[in-house]
Amino acid sequence: MNKLLKNWTVFFVFGILSILGGIIYAVILINGYSAPDKLMGIYVLFCLIPVLVIILIDRFLVRKFGNQKVNKVQFYFLGFILFLLVLRTIVDL
């Protein structure tokens, strides 16, 4: 367990934060007064399943290839996504 916490990656940190935030938000919505709020809380909980799968894949890749290589690929991936968002914003102007 101690080794698991030493190997932090970008997707691991964002995944844990999104799971914590999603659970808190879902609990608030499920305890709401209206049926659409409760349904939205259930949808938020279902949206956490892909995040959990990404974290599991991330942990497998860190164990196989190491922390630094996986972080490098994840930063390239996030940079590419950011580039696409900026490109879309420029083209839409």
Side-chain angles (χ1 to χ4, degrees):
M1 184 70 175
N2 193 17
K3 188 176 179 181
L4 177 71
L5 295 177
K6 286 182 182 178
N7 296 327
W8 294 72
T9 60
V10 176
F11 286 1
F12 182 68
V13 172
F14 286 154
I16 294 297
L17 289 176
S18 66
I19 285 176
L20 290 175
I23 289 174
I24 291 170
Y25 187 57
V27 166
I28 290 170
L29 286 174
I30 289 173
N31 289 328
Y33 293 110
S34 66
D37 284 346
K38 293 179 185 200
L39 191 60
M40 183 64 185
I42 294 170
Y43 287 156
V44 169
L45 288 177
F46 279 129
C47 290
L48 294 179
I49 294 172
V51 174
L52 184 63
V53 170
I54 289 173
I55 288 176
L56 291 175
I57 292 170
D58 175 64
R59 293 292 93 195
F60 173 74
L61 291 175
V62 165
R63 182 175 289 176
K64 185 166 181 158
F65 297 112
N67 183 16
Q68 292 176 343
K69 290 182 182 180
V70 173
N71 252 340
K72 189 176 183 181
V73 170
Q74 289 176 357
F75 275 120
Y76 284 145
F77 180 74
L78 290 176
F80 180 70
I81 297 297
L82 186 66
F83 170 73
L84 289 177
L85 289 173
V86 169
L87 186 67
R88 185 179 120 201
T89 304
I90 291 172
V91 170
D92 283 345
L93 292 178

